[in-house]
Amino acid sequence: MTDHKVSLPAKLINGGVAGLVGVTCVFPIDLAKTRLQNQQGARIYSGMLDCLVKTVRTEGYFGMYRGAAVNLTLVTPEKAIKLAANDIFRQKLSKDGKLPLWGEILAGCGAGTCQVVVTTPMEMLKIQLQDAGRLAAQKSATTPTATPEPAPSLVAPQASQSTPRPRPSATNITLELLRTRGLAGLYRGAGATLLRDVPFSMIYFPLFANLNTLGRSDPGCPGDELKRAPFLHSFMSGCIAGSVAAVAVTPLDVIKTRLQTLQKGEGEDSYRGILDCIRRVLTREGPTAFLKGATCRALVIAPLFGIAQGVYFLGVGEELLSLLG
């Protein structure tokens, strides 16, 4: 492939297509991760496979894709911003096609910061939809004698025991949050999202760049963005870098998930902020709770970023723009 600088529109198209393909492939595992991370007291699911089996049994096959519409709608700008911003920062920080390690980390930090604008509302809505099935399963499994006071909902008043709770929709949740809390309601947990995504990008992008360099016929410098490795090597580099970064920031992802979950089950904690969440989880569930969903997260992020980087480096955007031009 001829080496060339890729335009910003092409980068955005590449990132968007990469995100759509990746999310479609791994969304059921992401749903299992959210439900496992939100379990506090009653264990509805014993693990990822048990969660997926019970989801299909009670909600049908498409139950595994609860919240997928929101993710697929917003993942295009989210992944486009993340991948394109990292490339732009790397180009700005490079000199003569060379980028030191500190520059790679700084570029990843910038990319992670930029993406939060889209990531936070996307995660907010996705988590509510993904966790609805767990709450329903917990409610049906609760015996009549169990009477712990449920934590208050931030979305709508608690339904009576005799009235079935309607299934939430992204539109209803969005309108209710905007009505009651304004635009800030969609950005609940933005600090925790930033706390997760910035370290993730600071680990992921430098690690991917250095692994990807090993697949080039002329490796040159890891920071040289004008050379590309074969598709398969970029895919594997994305998988490895993604899984390492995902596991490293899993405790931060647990905190973010707990803070952004608006509807709580019976006896489950609500949190006033990041520090309050850390304290309560440590007190009630112990330090191992911060690793809940780590396997699921690695299984989500590894193929997601493997596919994303592979598709990104295929140059779909350049081909599309050349056809339109």
Side-chain angles (χ1 to χ4, degrees):
M1 181 179 291
T2 304
D3 294 337
H4 62 287
K5 288 191 176 182
V6 183
S7 66
L8 178 59
K11 290 178 185 293
L12 295 175
I13 293 171
N14 287 338
V17 173
L20 286 172
V21 175
V23 166
T24 301
C25 293
V26 302
F27 193 84
I29 305 174
D30 186 61
L31 178 136
K33 180 215 69 140
T34 297
R35 293 186 177 184
L36 289 172
Q37 286 183 340
N38 270 328
Q39 286 194 141
Q40 295 185 35
R43 285 175 57 85
I44 304 298
Y45 313 111
S46 60
M48 180 186 70
L49 291 178
D50 182 54
C51 178
L52 293 176
V53 169
K54 287 180 178 176
T55 298
V56 172
R57 186 182 303 153
T58 58
E59 302 172 55
Y61 174 78
F62 290 106
M64 294 191 297
Y65 282 88
R66 294 273 295 170
V70 171
N71 224 33
L72 290 172
T73 300
L74 295 180
V75 77
T76 300
E78 190 258 355
K79 281 292 179 289
I81 290 171
K82 187 186 190 80
L83 296 175
N86 178 69
D87 269 7
I88 291 169
F89 283 124
R90 292 176 73 90
Q91 287 179 3
K92 295 294 184 183
L93 294 169
S94 295
K95 289 186 177 180
D96 301 323
K98 296 182 179 180
L99 182 66
L101 180 60
W102 66 265
E104 295 182 21
I105 295 173
L106 192 59
C109 177
T113 303
C114 290
Q115 78 170 90
V116 169
V117 175
V118 177
T119 302
T120 304
M122 178 182 74
E123 292 277 312
M124 266 287 297
L125 298 173
K126 182 193 73 172
I127 285 171
Q128 315 319 314
L129 297 170
Q130 285 182 330
D131 203 41
R134 182 190 69 88
L135 293 172
Q138 185 198 60
K139 185 176 180 180
S140 64
T142 303
T143 59
T145 56
T147 56
E149 184 68 23
S153 167
L154 299 178
V155 179
Q158 291 285 342
S160 66
Q161 294 297 320
S162 59
T163 306
R165 180 180 296 155
R167 287 194 173 217
S169 70
T171 302
N172 290 340
I173 294 170
T174 302
L175 292 176
E176 184 65 20
L177 284 171
L178 289 174
R179 185 182 67 81
T180 58
R181 293 172 172 264
L183 188 61
L186 289 174
Y187 282 86
R188 177 180 170 86
T193 305
L194 196 67
L195 194 63
R196 179 200 67 174
D197 288 348
V198 170
F200 176 90
S201 295
M202 291 172 70
I203 296 169
Y204 171 78
F205 283 112
L207 181 56
F208 169 77
N210 284 273
L211 289 173
N212 199 46
T213 299
L214 300 177
R216 297 171 180 164
S217 55
D218 178 20
C221 172
D224 188 350
E225 293 300 320
L226 304 182
K227 297 182 181 295
R228 294 183 177 182
F231 171 84
L232 183 59
H233 190 88
S234 291
F235 172 79
M236 292 305 300
S237 297
C239 286
I240 295 170
S243 59
V244 171
V247 172
V249 302
T250 293
L252 302 173
D253 187 58
V254 171
I255 294 168
K256 182 200 73 67
T257 300
R258 294 286 183 92
L259 287 174
Q260 289 188 317
T261 301
L262 303 179
Q263 194 81 23
K264 301 292 185 178
E266 292 188 356
E268 294 181 349
D269 276 336
S270 292
Y271 310 103
R272 293 188 296 272
I274 294 173
L275 293 179
D276 182 55
C277 179
I278 294 172
R279 180 181 63 81
R280 285 173 179 264
V281 171
L282 279 174
T283 302
R284 293 193 58 176
E285 303 170 64
T288 57
F290 289 109
L291 293 177
K292 284 184 176 181
T295 302
C296 288
R297 183 162 166 76
L299 290 175
V300 168
I301 297 297
L304 176 59
F305 275 85
I307 293 167
Q309 290 289 182
V311 172
Y312 189 72
F313 277 89
L314 281 176
V316 177
E318 297 94 303
E319 294 294 330
L320 183 58
L321 290 177
S322 67
L323 291 174
L324 295 175

